[in-house]
Amino acid sequence: MKNYVEMAKSGKRRGKSGGIIAGVLFALATLFSFLPATTAFAADEVAYQDAAWNAETKTVDITPGSVTSYTVVTSGSTAWGAGWYAVTGNVKIASRVTVTGDVRLILCDGAKLTASTGITVTGDGNSLTIYGQSGGTGELEATGVSNSAGIGGGNNGAGGAITVNGGTVTATGGEYGAGIGGGKDGAGGTITVNGGTVTAAGGGYAAGIGGGVNGAGGTITVNGGSVTAPATLYGAGIGGGHYGIGGTITVNGGTVNATGGTN
């Protein structure tokens, strides 16, 4: 900062008001160039496609929206608090992401987020809502570690509220964890698919979408989009993990391909 102030003073020594202003502006511009660009300003508007089931018309309503206050997801973004987030490029996060509060994630067209150890969304008021844009080409790939869901609960953890409104989401559970839903001994939570393309594969003994091993399916609703949910070793495609009951499962629309594992 000392150098920047001296630059401004140099303009003053020249005895010209224009020099003072130019020096100050240069100092401020240089200073701001070093600040992390993780939070977007109002000029950087990001669009998204909202999707919601219309019980009256029995269809999914698609509504365009946009936000001007959000956080750009980077490789170091591992703790997501309540608010809006946007994936604007090719981003890889090595550590498991934790969702706290009401988190809304926009997958921008042409962008991809790889969460190589998964995303934790548990109960108690935590939720993750995923949006795409008009082209639907934004991607999220989440792979759980042992005992954890790709997206949802960790060890002994039930999944929270997880909603997919658009984009392409691929979630693979670690051993004993669902693709989307519960971790080991955890129920699926509340899972809703309104749109997009979802592929959720369970780890051993867990459901593709729903419970981890010993976990019930929870409440699962598919209103639209394309869903592929394979399980391996004793889990349901959609429903409970090994030794877990099915839960409440509703399919109102969309394309669903669910394959259970052995037994």
Side-chain angles (χ1 to χ4, degrees):
M1 178 61 79
K2 180 180 179 181
N3 291 336
Y4 307 146
V5 174
E6 288 176 352
M7 292 176 194
K9 287 180 178 179
S10 68
K12 185 175 182 180
R13 285 196 292 269
R14 287 195 292 270
K16 297 180 180 180
S17 60
I20 295 174
I21 295 172
V24 171
L25 291 176
F26 177 80
L28 290 173
T30 307
L31 176 62
F32 280 115
S33 70
F34 288 96
L35 295 177
T38 55
T39 301
F41 294 95
D44 301 318
E45 184 176 73
V46 170
Y48 65 91
Q49 297 280 83
D50 200 0
W53 175 248
N54 187 322
E56 184 175 339
T57 63
K58 307 299 182 185
T59 59
V60 175
D61 290 338
I62 305 297
T63 307
S66 64
V67 293
T68 56
S69 179
Y70 57 92
T71 300
V72 176
V73 177
T74 67
S75 60
S77 303
T78 58
W80 299 353
W84 287 88
Y85 294 78
V87 182
T88 60
N90 191 352
V91 181
K92 297 182 179 180
I93 302 178
S95 299
R96 191 167 175 88
V97 176
T98 301
V99 166
T100 304
D102 180 11
V103 172
R104 297 171 182 266
L105 177 69
I106 301 172
L107 304 176
C108 294
D109 283 338
K112 181 176 181 179
L113 171 60
T114 302
S116 57
T117 52
I119 300 173
T120 295
V121 187
T122 60
D124 300 324
N126 301 315
S127 64
L128 174 64
T129 305
I130 300 169
Y131 302 88
Q133 292 187 320
S134 59
T137 61
E139 298 181 57
L140 167 61
E141 182 177 330
T143 304
V145 295
S146 182
N147 300 330
S148 298
I151 304 174
N155 191 12
N156 298 318
I162 302 164
T163 302
V164 180
N165 288 327
T168 297
V169 178
T170 303
T172 304
E175 188 176 20
Y176 307 130
I180 299 177
K184 181 182 178 183
D185 298 325
T190 302
I191 303 164
T192 306
V193 179
N194 291 317
T197 301
V198 177
T199 302
Y205 304 94
I209 299 177
V213 65
N214 303 320
T219 302
I220 303 165
T221 305
V222 179
N223 293 318
S226 175
V227 176
T228 302
T232 56
L233 288 176
Y234 309 114
I238 298 177
H242 188 38
Y243 293 123
I245 62 174
T248 301
I249 304 166
T250 304
V251 177
N252 289 316
T255 301
V256 178
N257 186 348
T259 308
T262 304
N263 294 332

